[in-house]
mmCIF file of all heavy atoms in Angstrom:
data_model
loop_
_atom_site.group_PDB
_atom_site.id
_atom_site.type_symbol
_atom_site.label_atom_id
_atom_site.label_comp_id
_atom_site.label_asym_id
_atom_site.label_seq_id
_atom_site.Cartn_x
_atom_site.Cartn_y
_atom_site.Cartn_z
ATOM 1 N N PRO A 426 33.480 148.999 187.744
ATOM 2 C CA PRO A 426 34.606 149.625 188.442
ATOM 3 C C PRO A 426 34.494 149.335 189.977
ATOM 4 O O PRO A 426 35.476 149.102 190.612
ATOM 5 C CB PRO A 426 34.351 151.105 188.121
ATOM 6 C CG PRO A 426 33.651 151.049 186.722
ATOM 7 C CD PRO A 426 32.799 149.905 186.812
ATOM 8 N N ALA A 427 33.296 149.356 190.503
ATOM 9 C CA ALA A 427 33.156 149.170 191.951
ATOM 10 C C ALA A 427 33.503 147.678 192.302
ATOM 11 O O ALA A 427 34.170 147.453 193.383
ATOM 12 C CB ALA A 427 31.726 149.436 192.359
ATOM 13 N N ARG A 428 33.210 146.851 191.399
ATOM 14 C CA ARG A 428 33.546 145.367 191.637
ATOM 15 C C ARG A 428 35.073 145.217 191.653
ATOM 16 O O ARG A 428 35.651 144.506 192.526
ATOM 17 C CB ARG A 428 33.003 144.545 190.539
ATOM 18 C CG ARG A 428 31.401 144.344 190.622
ATOM 19 C CD ARG A 428 30.925 143.660 189.368
ATOM 20 N NE ARG A 428 29.484 143.547 189.455
ATOM 21 C CZ ARG A 428 28.670 143.462 188.458
ATOM 22 N NH1 ARG A 428 29.175 143.552 187.151
ATOM 23 N NH2 ARG A 428 27.417 143.306 188.533
ATOM 24 N N VAL A 429 35.747 145.859 190.712
ATOM 25 C CA VAL A 429 37.255 145.837 190.636
ATOM 26 C C VAL A 429 37.805 146.415 191.948
ATOM 27 O O VAL A 429 38.786 145.822 192.524
ATOM 28 C CB VAL A 429 37.754 146.608 189.421
ATOM 29 C CG1 VAL A 429 39.295 146.690 189.503
ATOM 30 C CG2 VAL A 429 37.318 145.934 188.139
ATOM 31 N N ALA A 430 37.143 147.426 192.440
ATOM 32 C CA ALA A 430 37.649 148.061 193.658
ATOM 33 C C ALA A 430 37.550 147.038 194.868
ATOM 34 O O ALA A 430 38.446 146.946 195.752
ATOM 35 C CB ALA A 430 36.905 149.319 193.987
ATOM 36 N N GLU A 431 36.534 146.293 194.894
ATOM 37 C CA GLU A 431 36.321 145.276 195.891
ATOM 38 C C GLU A 431 37.299 144.156 195.705
ATOM 39 O O GLU A 431 37.852 143.613 196.738
ATOM 40 C CB GLU A 431 34.828 144.672 195.831
ATOM 41 C CG GLU A 431 33.869 145.359 196.798
ATOM 42 C CD GLU A 431 32.569 144.623 196.919
ATOM 43 O OE1 GLU A 431 32.627 143.464 197.499
ATOM 44 O OE2 GLU A 431 31.590 145.165 196.581
ATOM 45 N N ILE A 432 37.583 143.841 194.536
ATOM 46 C CA ILE A 432 38.587 142.773 194.249
ATOM 47 C C ILE A 432 39.908 143.252 194.758
ATOM 48 O O ILE A 432 40.688 142.526 195.406
ATOM 49 C CB ILE A 432 38.746 142.378 192.720
ATOM 50 C CG1 ILE A 432 37.399 141.753 192.246
ATOM 51 C CG2 ILE A 432 39.902 141.525 192.431
ATOM 52 C CD1 ILE A 432 37.329 141.496 190.725
ATOM 53 N N ARG A 433 40.277 144.482 194.474
ATOM 54 C CA ARG A 433 41.476 145.085 194.894
ATOM 55 C C ARG A 433 41.615 145.017 196.465
ATOM 56 O O ARG A 433 42.645 144.572 197.003
ATOM 57 C CB ARG A 433 41.530 146.590 194.521
ATOM 58 C CG ARG A 433 42.745 147.250 194.903
ATOM 59 C CD ARG A 433 42.482 148.633 195.587
ATOM 60 N NE ARG A 433 43.729 149.282 195.986
ATOM 61 C CZ ARG A 433 44.210 149.148 197.257
ATOM 62 N NH1 ARG A 433 43.497 148.415 198.223
ATOM 63 N NH2 ARG A 433 45.305 149.785 197.614
ATOM 64 N N ASP A 434 40.550 145.300 197.194
ATOM 65 C CA ASP A 434 40.588 145.269 198.709
ATOM 66 C C ASP A 434 40.784 143.821 199.160
ATOM 67 O O ASP A 434 41.489 143.607 200.099
ATOM 68 C CB ASP A 434 39.342 145.951 199.300
ATOM 69 C CG ASP A 434 39.322 147.420 198.987
ATOM 70 O OD1 ASP A 434 40.389 147.934 198.609
ATOM 71 O OD2 ASP A 434 38.316 148.045 199.064
ATOM 72 N N MET A 435 40.076 142.914 198.462
ATOM 73 C CA MET A 435 40.216 141.474 198.867
ATOM 74 C C MET A 435 41.700 141.048 198.677
ATOM 75 O O MET A 435 42.230 140.458 199.556
ATOM 76 C CB MET A 435 39.268 140.642 198.047
ATOM 77 C CG MET A 435 39.298 139.155 198.280
ATOM 78 S SD MET A 435 40.598 138.304 197.432
ATOM 79 C CE MET A 435 39.947 138.271 195.743
ATOM 80 N N LEU A 436 42.294 141.447 197.564
ATOM 81 C CA LEU A 436 43.630 141.055 197.271
ATOM 82 C C LEU A 436 44.604 141.737 198.225
ATOM 83 O O LEU A 436 45.627 141.093 198.668
ATOM 84 C CB LEU A 436 44.013 141.407 195.844
ATOM 85 C CG LEU A 436 43.296 140.607 194.726
ATOM 86 C CD1 LEU A 436 43.667 141.185 193.399
ATOM 87 C CD2 LEU A 436 43.640 139.072 194.815
ATOM 88 N N ALA A 437 44.338 142.942 198.628
ATOM 89 C CA ALA A 437 45.233 143.676 199.525
ATOM 90 C C ALA A 437 45.199 143.002 200.880
ATOM 91 O O ALA A 437 46.237 143.028 201.637
ATOM 92 C CB ALA A 437 44.810 145.140 199.678
ATOM 93 N N ALA A 438 44.126 142.245 201.159
ATOM 94 C CA ALA A 438 44.082 141.633 202.473
ATOM 95 C C ALA A 438 44.460 140.142 202.401
ATOM 96 O O ALA A 438 44.350 139.372 203.369
ATOM 97 C CB ALA A 438 42.559 141.675 202.983
ATOM 98 N N THR A 439 44.964 139.688 201.197
ATOM 99 C CA THR A 439 45.407 138.367 201.020
ATOM 100 C C THR A 439 46.883 138.156 201.078
ATOM 101 O O THR A 439 47.542 138.961 200.437
ATOM 102 C CB THR A 439 44.823 137.869 199.632
ATOM 103 O OG1 THR A 439 43.440 137.977 199.529
ATOM 104 C CG2 THR A 439 45.257 136.374 199.387
ATOM 105 N N ASP A 440 47.339 137.276 201.965
ATOM 106 C CA ASP A 440 48.789 137.104 202.046
ATOM 107 C C ASP A 440 49.293 136.037 201.081
ATOM 108 O O ASP A 440 50.378 136.214 200.553
ATOM 109 C CB ASP A 440 49.179 136.763 203.446
ATOM 110 C CG ASP A 440 48.970 137.998 204.319
ATOM 111 O OD1 ASP A 440 49.189 139.124 203.885
ATOM 112 O OD2 ASP A 440 48.605 137.871 205.531
ATOM 113 N N PHE A 442 49.737 134.639 198.007
ATOM 114 C CA PHE A 442 49.627 135.053 196.605
ATOM 115 C C PHE A 442 49.968 133.983 195.603
ATOM 116 O O PHE A 442 50.375 134.253 194.399
ATOM 117 C CB PHE A 442 50.405 136.359 196.306
ATOM 118 C CG PHE A 442 49.527 137.511 195.924
ATOM 119 C CD1 PHE A 442 48.603 138.005 196.822
ATOM 120 C CD2 PHE A 442 49.523 138.050 194.606
ATOM 121 C CE1 PHE A 442 47.745 139.056 196.511
ATOM 122 C CE2 PHE A 442 48.717 139.164 194.301
ATOM 123 C CZ PHE A 442 47.777 139.620 195.246
ATOM 124 N N LEU A 454 34.807 135.360 195.645
ATOM 125 C CA LEU A 454 34.323 136.725 195.733
ATOM 126 C C LEU A 454 33.219 136.958 194.661
ATOM 127 O O LEU A 454 32.185 137.505 194.931
ATOM 128 C CB LEU A 454 35.473 137.793 195.650
ATOM 129 C CG LEU A 454 35.127 139.221 195.722
ATOM 130 C CD1 LEU A 454 34.611 139.589 197.138
ATOM 131 C CD2 LEU A 454 36.283 140.070 195.371
ATOM 132 N N TRP A 460 28.118 138.204 190.922
ATOM 133 C CA TRP A 460 28.422 139.066 189.802
ATOM 134 C C TRP A 460 28.597 138.167 188.557
ATOM 135 O O TRP A 460 29.060 137.027 188.686
ATOM 136 C CB TRP A 460 29.860 139.710 190.054
ATOM 137 C CG TRP A 460 29.883 140.650 191.263
ATOM 138 C CD1 TRP A 460 28.857 141.255 191.881
ATOM 139 C CD2 TRP A 460 31.032 141.020 191.911
ATOM 140 N NE1 TRP A 460 29.286 142.023 192.970
ATOM 141 C CE2 TRP A 460 30.677 141.916 192.975
ATOM 142 C CE3 TRP A 460 32.380 140.802 191.742
ATOM 143 C CZ2 TRP A 460 31.526 142.497 193.880
ATOM 144 C CZ3 TRP A 460 33.287 141.396 192.642
ATOM 145 C CH2 TRP A 460 32.896 142.269 193.648
ATOM 146 N N PHE A 469 38.381 143.426 185.620
ATOM 147 C CA PHE A 469 39.539 143.243 186.542
ATOM 148 C C PHE A 469 40.812 142.985 185.638
ATOM 149 O O PHE A 469 41.842 143.618 185.859
ATOM 150 C CB PHE A 469 39.315 142.051 187.438
ATOM 151 C CG PHE A 469 40.494 141.593 188.224
ATOM 152 C CD1 PHE A 469 41.335 142.551 188.923
ATOM 153 C CD2 PHE A 469 40.791 140.253 188.388
ATOM 154 C CE1 PHE A 469 42.462 142.122 189.652
ATOM 155 C CE2 PHE A 469 41.866 139.852 189.094
ATOM 156 C CZ PHE A 469 42.761 140.743 189.702
ATOM 157 N N LYS A 491 51.905 140.527 194.759
ATOM 158 C CA LYS A 491 50.901 141.325 195.367
ATOM 159 C C LYS A 491 51.076 142.861 195.113
ATOM 160 O O LYS A 491 50.190 143.539 194.736
ATOM 161 C CB LYS A 491 50.963 141.054 196.870
ATOM 162 C CG LYS A 491 49.894 141.857 197.657
ATOM 163 C CD LYS A 491 49.836 141.260 199.061
ATOM 164 C CE LYS A 491 48.888 142.048 199.938
ATOM 165 N NZ LYS A 491 48.720 141.463 201.301
ATOM 166 N N ILE A 495 48.454 145.223 193.102
ATOM 167 C CA ILE A 495 47.589 146.331 193.679
ATOM 168 C C ILE A 495 48.015 147.656 192.991
ATOM 169 O O ILE A 495 47.110 148.366 192.691
ATOM 170 C CB ILE A 495 47.964 146.374 195.239
ATOM 171 C CG1 ILE A 495 47.635 145.044 195.941
ATOM 172 C CG2 ILE A 495 47.218 147.550 195.847
ATOM 173 C CD1 ILE A 495 46.242 144.682 195.925
ATOM 174 N N ILE A 498 46.225 147.865 189.694
ATOM 175 C CA ILE A 498 44.811 148.150 189.808
ATOM 176 C C ILE A 498 44.541 149.588 190.153
ATOM 177 O O ILE A 498 43.713 150.322 189.591
ATOM 178 C CB ILE A 498 44.065 147.206 190.858
ATOM 179 C CG1 ILE A 498 44.335 145.725 190.486
ATOM 180 C CG2 ILE A 498 42.589 147.551 190.948
ATOM 181 C CD1 ILE A 498 43.872 144.777 191.525
ATOM 182 N N ASP A 499 45.326 150.096 191.108
ATOM 183 C CA ASP A 499 45.112 151.505 191.535
ATOM 184 C C ASP A 499 45.346 152.482 190.369
ATOM 185 O O ASP A 499 44.613 153.413 190.211
ATOM 186 C CB ASP A 499 46.135 151.855 192.662
ATOM 187 C CG ASP A 499 45.664 151.142 193.992
ATOM 188 O OD1 ASP A 499 44.464 150.733 194.109
ATOM 189 O OD2 ASP A 499 46.465 151.056 194.961
ATOM 190 N N LEU A 502 42.433 152.347 188.065
ATOM 191 C CA LEU A 502 41.133 152.871 188.657
ATOM 192 C C LEU A 502 41.355 154.418 188.463
ATOM 193 O O LEU A 502 40.336 155.083 188.240
ATOM 194 C CB LEU A 502 41.018 152.500 190.137
ATOM 195 C CG LEU A 502 40.499 151.041 190.360
ATOM 196 C CD1 LEU A 502 40.568 150.611 191.783
ATOM 197 C CD2 LEU A 502 39.155 150.911 189.813
ATOM 198 N N ARG A 507 36.564 155.550 188.673
ATOM 199 C CA ARG A 507 35.994 154.495 189.523
ATOM 200 C C ARG A 507 34.515 154.374 189.346
ATOM 201 O O ARG A 507 33.915 155.350 188.925
ATOM 202 C CB ARG A 507 36.345 154.817 190.988
ATOM 203 C CG ARG A 507 37.741 154.584 191.285
ATOM 204 C CD ARG A 507 38.214 155.221 192.568
ATOM 205 N NE ARG A 507 39.634 155.319 192.574
ATOM 206 C CZ ARG A 507 40.441 154.598 193.227
ATOM 207 N NH1 ARG A 507 40.053 153.541 193.905
ATOM 208 N NH2 ARG A 507 41.778 154.769 193.165
#
Side-chain angles (χ1 to χ4, degrees):
R428 288 170 181 153
V429 172
E431 265 192 65
I432 293 175
R433 180 224 178 267
D434 292 343
M435 179 276 285
L436 292 174
T439 302
D440 288 328
F442 243 65
L454 180 67
W460 296 340
F469 170 48
K491 182 167 172 176
I495 304 294
I498 302 173
D499 286 344
L502 287 171
R507 292 164 197 258

